[in-house]
Amino acid sequence: MTTARTSLDRLERYYDAVPRASARAEDFGPLTLFVRETPGWPYYARPTPGRPGPAATAEDVDRVRARQRVLGVPEAFEWVAEVTPGLRGAVEASGLRVHEHPLMVRDEDAPLPGPHPLVRLLGPDDPLLASALAVPHLAFAAPGTALGEAGPAELTAETAARAADVPAAADRIRAGRTVLAAAVEDGGALCSGMHLPVGDVTEIAGVGTLPSARRRGLGLAVTAALVADATARGVRTVFLSAGDDDVARIYARLGFRRVATALIAEPPE
């Protein structure tokens, strides 16, 4: 078995394990729908690992989408192209649009830059926890790396709107299921991200910079802090999905290399 295949098998086990701490799993045969039961980012449906039998069809995807509509959750599917290549045709036949993202694993021996003066880890009682949870929502609403309009005023409003997410996030931090880092300046989070350890594997996720604070290297600095924390915890496999090839080139500076393609399917806008 090749090293690449081994890495993908480890990631598949992780993808199936990580939602189960805060979501219930609903069985749809070749697909599993994860339904979050606490506040936070909604989950998705994905292939059921190790399940024998035929691959998912468009009808299977339709059944999951109908259930997602009943639950009022996003009609979202996530999977790795190289592991489940046939799923793309099924989700496209169901009418969903597929987005490709470089799936990257970090070389364990790659060097890291020193700590950034604005970046720190946030504990469960940190007064800036709400701000750090809010900033990625503004970042992802204006994708890309170019400077944008959303700034401190929008962050203040988004922080207030997301206040209900704080207790559950604090519980996940206390339990060690989430590690949150942020770049902080003038009493607010300019950038934040998290990693989600399960055993000796973790995913870096949700790294986003306030659009008006882009082009300062903050996303890379937050990612480096998360990698450093994961390494200190004994994590051996650190991975992430980059937004696009341009972002992937930035992560390559920290030793991440592309091993596959992560696919996300959603309804067309």
Side-chain angles (χ1 to χ4, degrees):
M1 183 178 293
T2 66
T3 300
R5 180 72 248 183
T6 301
S7 294
L8 292 180
D9 288 343
R10 287 170 62 81
L11 300 193
E12 282 294 297
R13 291 193 293 270
Y14 174 92
Y15 279 131
D16 184 71
V18 73
R20 294 180 183 270
S22 54
R24 70 176 183 271
E26 297 191 0
D27 183 5
F28 286 82
L31 298 169
T32 299
L33 172 62
F34 293 104
V35 183
R36 181 177 280 282
E37 296 184 309
T38 60
W41 294 96
Y43 283 122
Y44 40 76
R46 69 178 326 277
T48 304
R51 181 186 182 276
T57 65
E59 289 74 21
D60 293 318
V61 175
D62 289 342
R63 288 196 301 122
V64 175
R65 293 182 65 190
R67 177 60 173 160
Q68 289 170 320
R69 289 192 294 271
V70 168
L71 294 169
V73 300
E75 295 174 51
F77 294 73
E78 298 188 9
W79 72 102
V80 177
E82 290 77 2
V83 176
T84 317
L87 184 55
R88 181 168 191 156
V91 300
E92 289 180 333
S94 179
L96 299 178
R97 177 176 296 172
V98 177
H99 306 274
E100 299 185 359
H101 302 276
L103 180 60
M104 309 181 77
V105 173
R106 186 175 182 272
D107 292 328
E108 290 184 57
D109 298 329
L112 282 175
H116 191 285
L118 298 182
V119 176
R120 60 180 173 84
L121 300 181
L122 276 62
D125 300 314
D126 196 295
L128 292 181
L129 183 57
S131 178
L133 294 172
V135 70
H137 292 276
L138 294 173
F140 300 148
T145 60
L147 283 170
E149 295 182 358
E154 288 79 7
L155 179 59
T156 297
E158 189 70 19
T159 299
R162 300 284 173 180
D165 294 347
V166 172
D171 287 345
R172 292 193 297 272
I173 293 171
R174 288 190 188 95
R177 299 197 306 270
T178 297
V179 178
L180 186 66
V184 176
E185 188 175 65
D186 296 331
L190 299 182
C191 175
S192 72
M194 64 186 71
H195 79 88
L196 312 167
V198 176
D200 65 351
V201 180
T202 195
E203 180 181 19
I204 292 177
V207 178
T209 302
L210 190 68
S212 65
R214 289 171 176 163
R215 300 297 180 91
R216 295 173 56 181
L218 299 179
L220 197 69
V222 165
T223 303
L226 293 169
V227 171
D229 178 82
T231 301
R233 293 170 182 262
V235 171
R236 298 192 59 191
T237 301
V238 181
F239 76 99
L240 54 78
S241 296
D244 54 34
D245 289 338
D246 290 338
V247 176
R249 282 189 283 272
I250 295 173
Y251 286 130
R253 301 175 195 168
L254 298 179
F256 287 92
R257 57 183 175 83
R258 184 169 186 165
V259 297
T261 301
L263 300 180
I264 298 176
E266 301 169 319
E269 294 181 358

